[in-house]
Amino acid sequence: MKTPIALLLILASASGAVAAPAPAGPAVRTVSVEGEGDARALPDQLVCALAVWRDDKDPGTARSQGASAVARVLAVLKRRGVADADVQTARAAVEAQVTYDQGKQMPVGYRASTVMTVRLRKLEIYDALITEAIEAGANELRGATFESSRYRALADEARLKAVEDARARAEALAKAAGAKLGRILTLEEHAGMRPVPMPQLTRNSGGMLGAASLAPGEIAVHINVQAVWELTD
């Protein structure tokens, strides 16, 4: 009796030896470290928020009065040389104002409010600009943060320092273990700016209209890296 060729192929496959997996190579020895780097500079920009609000029993009147005040504040910014691209409306709202009498909510009117984010590229105009903005109708300066137009250059400087710091740490660990650094296997970065914040000031704040009220100090760009190097003999 002849065995079909197909059956022979199936039997051969079923009885065939399974190839053994290739032996694993030696484990790669590694060292993991973190590195830090800072770059500092005097700030040359300031970002602040100006808030304007008006209250009235009629929402339309509150909104109209608020819009007029905003227009006057914008005129001040323009007159002081602030570019349109450096002014942005961050919030605009009309909200009901209520009070409570013996646990009951009682409507008292409406508040129309606008918050504008302003970037000043000339720090020397800050005091005069804020004074004029308040006189024009702004109700509140909601803090301010110093920044630098050189952020990218500062970040590059801090990044280089962070990688150098990581390598120095890795080399020290490798030497202590009787090994040398080989290839770098992974490198991750975490960046951030450390700005100098300013307090919130209002129309009634004594520091609002004072001369030379800025103390810029310096800002720092901080880079943290995590790196893994291969160790060799």
Side-chain angles (χ1 to χ4, degrees), residues 135 158 194 211 232:
E135 292 174 346
R194 294 175 177 172
T232 63

Side-chain angles (χ1 to χ4, degrees), residues 9-209:
L9 291 175
I10 293 173
L11 292 173
S13 175
S15 61
V18 178
V28 177
R29 297 181 300 160
T30 63
V31 58
S32 301
V33 295
E34 290 188 359
E36 295 182 326
D38 283 329
R40 298 175 179 273
L42 295 176
D44 58 4
Q45 297 182 6
L46 182 146
V47 178
C48 63
L50 290 170
V52 178
W53 64 79
R54 292 295 183 271
D55 298 332
D56 197 271
K57 292 183 178 181
D58 176 65
T61 301
R63 187 174 182 278
S64 176
Q65 292 177 350
S68 296
V70 168
R72 294 194 299 271
V73 172
L74 289 175
V76 169
L77 298 177
K78 192 174 188 66
R79 185 167 64 249
R80 281 289 176 176
V82 179
D84 291 343
D86 289 333
V87 183
Q88 185 177 47
T89 299
R91 184 178 187 274
V94 178
E95 301 167 303
Q97 302 293 293
V98 299
T99 188
Y100 291 88
D101 183 13
Q102 297 181 352
K104 294 183 179 181
Q105 181 174 294
M106 307 291 292
V108 295
Y110 295 87
R111 169 168 292 186
S113 60
T114 302
V115 178
M116 295 170 286
T117 301
V118 182
R119 179 178 295 275
L120 299 183
R121 300 181 186 273
K122 297 179 180 179
L123 298 183
E124 62 271 18
I125 72 172
Y126 170 82
D127 286 293
L129 184 145
I130 296 302
T131 298
E132 293 175 14
I134 294 296
E135 292 174 346
N139 295 88
E140 188 175 64
L141 168 68
R142 295 188 174 175
T145 301
F146 291 106
E147 295 184 1
S148 173
S149 60
R150 297 181 54 245
Y151 177 81
R152 289 189 177 181
L154 294 173
D156 287 342
E157 179 183 342
R159 186 176 294 112
L160 179 60
K161 291 180 179 178
V163 174
E164 290 175 345
D165 180 47
R167 175 177 287 277
R169 297 186 187 195
E171 287 176 343
L173 290 172
K175 183 177 180 180
K180 296 180 181 179
L181 289 188
R183 301 173 301 155
I184 186 168
L185 302 179
T186 64
L187 182 62
E188 297 181 1
E189 173 189 307
H190 304 279
M193 179 178 284
R194 294 175 177 172
V196 180
M198 292 182 64
Q200 178 171 302
L201 301 174
T202 67
R203 292 173 66 95
N204 297 323
S205 172
M208 172 60 71
L209 305 182

